[in-house]
Each structure stands twice: as structure tokens, then as C-alpha cells.
Amino acid sequence: MASTVRIEGISKAYTKDVPVLLPLDVEVKKGELFFLLGPSGCGKSTLLRIIAGLVTPDEGKIFFDGEDVTFLPPEKRRAAMVFQNYALWPHMTVFENVAFGPKSAGLPASKVKEKVKEALALVRMSDFAARRPPSLSGGQQQRVALARAIAVEPRVLLLDEPLSNLDAKLRDEMRLEIKRVCKEHSLTAIYVTHDRREALGMGDRIALLEGGKIRQLDTPVNLYKRPCTRFAASFLGGVNFLRGRVKGKENGLAVIETDVGTLHSANPLPVTEISSPGEKSHTVLIRPEHITVAESGDALNSFKAKYESGTFLGERSEMLFRTENGRTVEVNEDSSELREKGREYLLSVLPANVVVLED
Ligand code: ADP
Ligand code: MG
């Protein structure tokens, strides 16, 4: 049922000379929960709408399972869309909302009933079949919208910021629900969001978009741990950027002179960088939660810094330190213990958590 989706050289400009999507290629696997992540206005919804057939691309082709659907109207593509605002029919019952798709497809009444029952059970809304959407909570309405999309047995499920209208706690719950439904039903799903936590927590793979281009396509862990650009690093979470020069290799680790002292990195570097040590400058990335604070010690990759300020945020504390040469360093610790202002500490980071980027 579920299809692969291939996007080949798709580009779009709504107005001449203002490109929204630059030619892009990507292949989504069968059964994959694939994310389009990026800041507002980067072209995510445009790409999703092109896949759905709601927007016509300027160039390029879309294939479902190798079948060219570029010029098929939306209803012939069997791609179901779930929107941020649910888009349910308020005057119809939950049952009728979900039945609409299978009915329009010409299924006999008994089969329609079966499909609706199945879809409502999957989103745990069986008890609400006779209710109308306005009498349901936001989370329940979103479940019905999901059931309606699934009931047509789509070749691809398209979700555009489906959780944006829900409060934080419900959003966490619905994230797990959507992921469960997609996996239990082996759906191919393409999910648009600007929320990195959604993409990291749910996605099999993430395409990070900026300015109508895919900047990195990777698994959540890789995108977070080994971002390829400064943009990717900061879009996915907090990060300290240091200046550095790679000096060479030692015990399999890259040795880098940085503005907080010598650091070792376990992340692979291009060979050319090592063969001309010290000539090119690099950006060194360290996530705030990868820095450990100690009173003293002789850990590898450690440097001295004075505690400046901090905020206790419940599950973690965000702190600011300053090195001898005046660099500020952000540190997150899962501790309620704020440090002593003006006192010197020893900060350290594991080589595996030092990432070097080409400038
Ligand atoms: P995102 O979903 O990533 O926020 P969109 O794909 O909605 O981005 O929009 C990308 C750009 O295209 C934005 O600058 C937006 O203003 C513009 N845009 C979107 N839809 C239209 C449209 N129908 N007509 C003209 N410009 C549009
Ligand atoms: Mg959008």
C-alpha cells in the first residue's frame, strides 16, 4: 500500500526571480517517517503541497513507487494530508468525517464501516464516532484528522505542522501517537515541522531545509551529533562555536588549537585537512550539555574557566563561564547546583563530542 516517494529536480518560484525551492532531489523509503525540518518560510509547506498535488512545481518530477504522478490531480495520487488546523467538517459526526474518503472512493457501505472502525480504533477514538468535532478537544480532533487520512489507505501520509495548535503536554503525547500509528500501519509519511524536538524524537530521517535547499539529510542522531554546517548545529540545539586550527593526529584523535586551548576530537576529518596542518582555520562545535564541570583534575580536553551566571530550569541548569582569555562558554548541567560566582572551575569535554567543521 505505502509507496516510496522520489522527488527529482523539483523547484518552485511563486513570483518570478524569487525562488522558494531550488532544484532538489530526495527519495523517501517505503514505511519511512521522513521529516522536512527548517525555519519558517524555508519552503517546507510548498514542497509538501507539491507532493500532494496542491501546488504545481516549475520544474522536476514526483514519483510514487516509480510512477510519475507529477501531473496527476490530488485525488488521483492517493496522498492524504493532515493539517495544523485539523480541517474537519464541523456539521458531520466523527464517523461521517472519517467515512468521507472511503465513500468517495466508491467502497460499499459495509466496507466503509469496516475502514472507519479500523481507523478510529487505531487512533483510540472508537468511543467518539457519534460526536461532532466542535465537542472534542484539540488533541481528539487531531486524532480524528489522522483517522480520516488513514482511512483512505494513502500511498503517502503528509503532515503539515499537525501539532502546532496543541499545548506542550498534549504535543508530547501526540508525537508518540502519530509515530505509533505510522509504524503500526507501515505508512510512508512526510512530516513538516519547524520544531527540532518533534523531528529528533520521531523521525527516521530528517531533511534540514534552509532557503529552499536541503542543507543536510541524516538520521536524528547524526544530525544532532555531527552537523555539517554552523546552521545545522545551531538549528538543532544549543552550541558553543570555537575558532580552531587542526595541528595533526595523535592516537587517532585530531589535535586542534582552539581559543580555549588544545582540544582532541574523535570525529573523522577530511584527509586534506591533516596533510596541511595548521594552515586552515576551522570551526569547532561543542554542545553545552557535553561539557562537564569539575573543581579540579587532569582530564583530557579540559580548560579553566570562571563561573559567571546561571539559570535553574528544572531538568537542567544553563550556565555561563568565561575563560582566561575572555571567551564565554555555555554549559548545561542536569543539576540544581548553581556554581559559585567568580570562582574558577575545570571544564572538560570528551573527544567524541568535539566536532570540527570546515569553514
Ligand atoms: P514554510 O512552510 O517552510 O514556512 P512555505 O513553503 O509556506 O514555507 O513558504 C515559503 C515561501 O513562499 C515564503 O516566503 C512564503 O511567503 C511564500 N509563499 C508560500 N505560499 C505562497 C503563495 N501561495 N503565493 C506566494 N508566495 C507564497
Ligand atoms: Mg509551513
Side-chain angles (χ1 to χ4, degrees):
M1 202 58 52
S3 294
T4 58
V5 176
R6 195 161 89 242
I7 295 159
E8 230 179 63
I10 287 290
S11 69
K12 179 72 185 175
Y14 291 102
T15 24
K16 204 171 165 292
D17 301 331
V18 190
V20 167
L21 292 176
L22 297 161
L24 56 87
D25 299 285
V26 66
E27 177 147 1
V28 178
K29 298 173 197 155
K30 204 184 281 287
E32 189 172 29
L33 180 44
F34 188 91
F35 271 75
L36 299 172
L37 172 71
S40 178
C42 72
K44 306 180 294 294
S45 295
T46 299
L47 182 54
L48 204 69
R49 284 165 180 277
I50 289 173
I51 298 167
L54 301 168
V55 168
T56 312
D58 296 340
E59 290 170 298
K61 288 185 183 299
I62 305 281
F63 298 89
F64 290 178
D65 267 344
E67 178 198 346
D68 186 347
V69 298
T70 317
F71 300 104
L72 277 189
E75 64 278 9
K76 293 253 166 72
R77 295 189 188 197
R78 301 248 322 276
M81 190 114 163
V82 176
F83 299 92
Q84 177 180 339
N85 60 5
Y86 323 128
L88 297 171
W89 293 290
H91 59 285
M92 291 187 193
T93 64
V94 164
F95 183 96
E96 288 162 348
N97 265 279
V98 179
F100 188 85
K103 228 185 221 166
S104 310
L107 291 186
S110 61
K111 200 88 185 126
V112 170
K113 203 168 166 190
E114 194 181 302
K115 289 257 170 282
V116 175
K117 272 186 137 170
E118 225 178 81
L120 286 178
L122 194 64
V123 300
R124 303 193 168 130
M125 286 295 287
S126 304
D127 296 343
F128 296 83
R131 299 267 289 268
R132 281 173 219 281
S135 75
L136 301 175
S137 72
Q140 290 169 335
Q141 290 186 45
Q142 196 53 288
R143 282 170 196 264
V144 175
L146 194 56
R148 186 179 57 179
I150 292 163
V152 300
E153 297 189 2
R155 300 170 83 183
V156 51
L157 177 65
L158 306 171
L159 305 114
D160 196 351
E161 312 251 5
L163 305 182
S164 299
N165 284 347
L166 304 179
D167 63 48
K169 192 163 173 297
L170 200 54
R171 222 163 34 222
D172 288 348
E173 203 180 297
M174 282 303 289
R175 262 183 219 153
L176 296 176
E177 277 295 287
I178 293 180
K179 187 169 178 176
R180 178 185 63 80
V181 165
C182 287
K183 291 303 165 192
E184 272 180 22
H185 232 61
S186 305
L187 293 168
T188 303
I190 305 178
Y191 189 125
V192 159
T193 186
H194 66 276
D195 182 339
R196 65 189 166 91
R197 289 168 56 97
E198 242 162 71
L200 289 173
M202 299 171 68
D204 291 319
R205 284 190 304 158
I206 302 171
L208 180 66
L209 267 84
E210 186 204 23
K213 266 185 113 142
I214 294 178
R215 303 290 170 174
Q216 191 167 348
L217 175 56
D218 229 322
T219 60
V221 171
N222 272 341
L223 196 57
Y224 189 78
K225 291 210 140 192
R226 284 173 283 280
C228 293
T229 58
R230 289 175 75 110
F231 167 74
S234 45
F235 198 80
L236 272 293
V239 62
N240 290 292
F241 291 112
L242 306 175
R243 306 249 20 99
R245 270 173 204 282
V246 178
K247 291 296 182 191
K249 264 199 163 174
E250 217 177 80
N251 303 325
L253 302 176
V255 184
I256 316 139
E257 261 348 298
T258 77
D259 39 16
V260 301
T262 306
L263 294 178
H264 295 73
S265 169
N267 290 291
L269 279 161
V271 181
T272 51
E273 303 309 318
I274 305 289
S275 62
S276 53
E279 281 169 22
K280 266 174 98 175
S281 80
H282 293 87
T283 299
V284 178
L285 314 176
I286 305 173
R287 299 256 181 226
E289 73 275 20
H290 289 150
I291 298 177
T292 308
V293 184
E295 307 267 322
S296 60
D298 56 358
L300 180 73
N301 274 0
S302 58
F303 53 95
K304 287 178 189 161
K306 280 187 176 153
Y307 176 73
E308 274 206 350
S309 60
T311 313
F312 171 65
L313 291 169
E315 80 269 26
R316 67 169 197 277
S317 295
E318 291 182 356
M319 297 176 284
L320 211 60
F321 288 77
R322 193 176 291 274
T323 61
E324 276 161 340
N325 60 0
R327 267 240 30 153
T328 55
V329 179
E330 282 177 42
V331 179
N332 293 350
E333 270 197 326
D334 58 348
S335 137
S336 58
E337 183 187 359
L338 291 177
R339 305 286 171 166
E340 196 180 315
K341 196 171 162 77
R343 186 168 160 188
E344 191 169 84
Y345 291 89
L346 197 68
L347 308 185
S348 63
V349 54
L350 294 173
N353 291 325
V354 177
V355 175
V356 186
L357 295 184
E358 297 208 44
D359 272 0

